[in-house]
Amino acid sequence: QGQESPQVKLPPSPLRQKDAGDLDLQNTDLFEQNEPGQSSFEQKESARVNNLGADIMQESRKSLVQPWTKDQESELQQLKEQLSAALKKKQEADDAIQLAKQQLDAVQQQTSQVNILVDQQVALQEQINTQLQPQQEQSEAERVQIEKKVKALSKLKEDNNAAYDSQLETNNQSISQQEDNQQWEITDEEEIEREKREQEARRQQEENENAQSETYLINQQIKEQEEQERKQREEDEEDERRRIEDEKRRRDYDEKERKRVQEEQEEEQRRKAVEEQNINEDENELTKGNVIITIFGVKNVAAMDSNGKSDPFIELMLNGQKQKTKKQKDTLNAEFNETFQFNYDGFETSGEKGISLELWDYDTIGDNDQIGKVEIPV
């Protein structure tokens, strides 16, 4: 690869004209077919192989009537093997280029997906910034106002310090001058004046200290305000966490309570069934006739659907006879006002001698859900 093809010079050979024609056809198939859309590397390899084949063809035609030696035939065979190896390398290069194109397409697809995720993240960040911007602006305004107060107090402090230093310097100069002029003789009047100056200096110093104290208090107020805001955020987060936990515990408690009530109802129904079985069948035997029952409605039905409602209806059963009311949609207090009639023969009845009423929640998809059940002796 990348090397110039060797110059092939073949000795004369006594080949027949038919052999020359076959060789020419073979070279035409191998070296003169170039695929469209080849890369520069592929074109170079094809040109090199074509040149090698052309040299072999040219030298073969020149030596059709010349005798060949065994060494020359061996050399020709080696050249053919080199030509086959070059074709094989060309095919491997084509395969490698195709694989690289496929990998590039996969990388471009992954890059497109990453760009989509980045755009979504940027949109989410912009939404969060939009929601937090009013609070940040309010905090920034309060911070700017406090900074203005601090700067004003700092300037007042500097002015007071400058005035104090100037006054102190002036007083010191005046005292020094008086001491030099009067040769350290201090009268009562001068003593009083000196005390006044000292009192003025102390007053100035106290004012400076008060200014510094106010600056310190303002800084403390800023820190306290920031600490209160931090605690308030922590309290809000804690309240939210507790609210979520309370909501979860409430749902769990409601579910347990509903199951407990349902189990109590089932236990009460089983107890009543056992008591009714213990009643003397002779005392409950009736003659033939009809049993008529009117269903007016139900109240405070348990919510069985996700919307907090139910679709209640009632099934009535007596001695293998079954009837049911119409279903009422999305309600917990249904009115039916429906009357039903059953055939009854006390002498032929075996087992339970009562009407079974079962309250159900109608489901469009799947099985209906039973809400409750009651037995009414006849």
Side-chain angles (χ1 to χ4, degrees):
Q1 298 179 359
Q3 297 178 358
E4 296 183 358
S5 58
Q7 298 296 327
V8 181
K9 295 182 179 181
L10 301 176
S13 175
L15 295 176
R16 294 179 294 114
Q17 185 64 32
K18 180 179 179 181
D19 296 335
D22 295 340
L23 185 60
D24 191 10
L25 179 60
Q26 181 180 4
N27 283 303
T28 301
D29 294 338
L30 291 176
F31 311 121
E32 295 181 358
Q33 293 181 357
N34 293 328
E35 297 180 357
Q38 290 180 333
S39 63
S40 59
F41 173 76
E42 293 173 337
Q43 292 175 358
K44 290 180 180 179
E45 285 295 314
S46 298
R48 189 176 69 82
V49 173
N50 291 336
N51 292 334
L52 181 61
D55 292 340
I56 295 173
M57 289 288 300
Q58 185 176 3
E59 294 299 328
S60 298
R61 292 192 184 97
K62 291 180 181 180
S63 60
L64 288 175
V65 294
Q66 299 296 331
W68 280 30
T69 65
K70 292 183 178 180
D71 294 338
Q72 290 171 342
E73 291 180 355
S74 176
E75 185 177 358
L76 177 61
Q77 184 65 27
Q78 291 178 0
L79 290 174
K80 289 182 179 180
E81 292 176 355
Q82 292 178 4
L83 179 61
S84 299
L87 290 174
K88 183 177 181 181
K89 291 180 179 179
K90 178 179 178 296
Q91 183 63 34
E92 292 176 353
D94 293 341
D95 295 340
I97 291 171
Q98 185 65 26
L99 179 60
K101 289 181 180 179
Q102 293 177 357
Q103 292 178 351
L104 180 59
D105 294 339
V107 171
Q108 290 177 350
Q109 185 177 4
Q110 293 177 357
T111 303
S112 176
Q113 295 177 355
V114 170
N115 291 335
I116 293 173
L117 294 176
V118 170
D119 293 339
Q120 294 177 353
Q121 185 69 22
V122 170
L124 180 60
Q125 185 65 33
E126 290 178 354
Q127 183 178 1
I128 293 173
N129 293 336
T130 302
Q131 295 177 354
L132 295 179
Q133 185 175 2
Q135 298 178 359
Q136 293 177 351
E137 291 178 353
Q138 183 178 1
S139 300
E140 183 66 19
E142 293 177 355
R143 185 185 65 79
V144 171
Q145 185 176 4
I146 292 172
E147 287 180 353
K148 289 181 179 179
K149 291 182 180 180
V150 172
K151 289 180 179 179
L153 291 174
S154 299
K155 185 176 180 182
L156 177 61
K157 176 185 175 182
E158 292 175 357
D159 294 341
N160 290 335
N161 289 336
Y164 173 75
D165 294 338
S166 177
Q167 183 66 28
L168 184 62
E169 182 67 22
T170 302
N171 293 338
N172 291 334
Q173 291 177 0
S174 177
I175 291 172
S176 299
Q177 185 178 3
Q178 288 177 5
E179 289 176 350
D180 293 339
N181 293 334
Q182 298 179 6
Q183 297 178 356
W184 305 95
E185 293 180 358
I186 301 175
T187 62
D188 294 340
E189 184 178 353
E190 291 173 348
E191 182 69 20
I192 293 172
E193 184 67 21
R194 186 177 62 81
E195 290 179 354
K196 289 181 179 179
R197 288 194 297 270
E198 290 178 354
Q199 290 178 358
E200 182 66 20
R202 286 194 297 269
R203 186 181 64 79
Q204 290 289 341
Q205 185 176 3
E206 290 176 356
E207 289 179 355
N208 293 333
E209 292 177 353
N210 290 333
Q212 293 178 355
S213 177
E214 290 179 359
T215 303
Y216 174 76
L217 291 176
I218 289 176
N219 292 331
Q220 288 295 113
Q221 290 177 358
I222 294 172
K223 292 180 180 179
E224 291 177 357
Q225 185 176 1
E226 292 177 351
E227 183 66 18
Q228 289 177 358
E229 291 177 355
R230 184 184 65 79
K231 290 182 179 180
Q232 184 64 33
R233 288 194 299 271
E234 292 178 353
E235 290 177 358
D236 293 342
E237 293 175 356
E238 183 66 19
D239 292 341
E240 181 66 17
R241 185 182 63 79
R242 290 177 179 175
R243 185 187 65 79
I244 294 173
E245 291 179 353
D246 293 341
E247 181 69 17
K248 182 179 179 182
R249 285 195 295 268
R250 186 184 63 79
R251 289 196 300 268
D252 294 341
Y253 173 78
D254 292 343
E255 181 65 20
K256 291 180 180 179
E257 187 67 16
R258 187 182 67 81
K259 290 182 179 179
R260 185 186 63 81
V261 172
Q262 186 174 0
E263 290 175 356
E264 290 179 354
Q265 291 176 351
E266 293 175 354
E267 182 65 24
E268 182 67 18
Q269 293 171 2
R270 286 193 293 269
R271 185 184 61 80
K272 289 182 178 180
V274 172
E275 291 179 354
E276 291 173 358
Q277 288 178 357
N278 294 331
I279 297 175
N280 192 341
E281 294 182 358
D282 295 337
E283 295 178 356
N284 293 325
E285 290 180 351
L286 300 176
T287 59
K288 294 182 179 180
N290 295 324
V291 176
I292 300 174
I293 181 169
T294 299
I295 304 297
F296 295 102
V298 291
K299 293 182 179 180
N300 301 325
V301 177
M304 304 300 288
D305 297 336
S306 59
N307 60 358
K309 301 290 184 179
S310 294
D311 305 325
F313 69 96
I314 297 176
E315 285 188 355
L316 302 88
M317 291 174 286
L318 176 62
N319 295 336
Q321 305 171 69
K322 181 186 292 187
Q323 300 186 54
K324 63 181 178 180
T325 65
K326 297 179 180 179
K327 72 176 189 301
Q328 301 292 325
K329 187 172 181 60
D330 293 336
T331 181
L332 301 179
N333 299 286
E335 294 183 2
F336 299 101
N337 296 320
E338 297 182 43
T339 300
F340 303 90
Q341 179 173 315
F342 295 89
N343 296 325
Y344 184 82
D345 188 346
F347 296 101
E348 296 180 358
T349 299
S350 61
E352 293 292 335
K353 297 183 179 181
I355 297 177
S356 174
L357 303 179
E358 295 182 358
L359 179 60
W360 292 82
D361 171 55
Y362 177 81
D363 289 335
T364 304
I365 300 175
D367 297 331
N368 299 327
D369 301 322
Q370 188 182 73
I371 303 176
K373 181 180 178 181
V374 66
E375 295 284 339
I376 300 178
V378 176

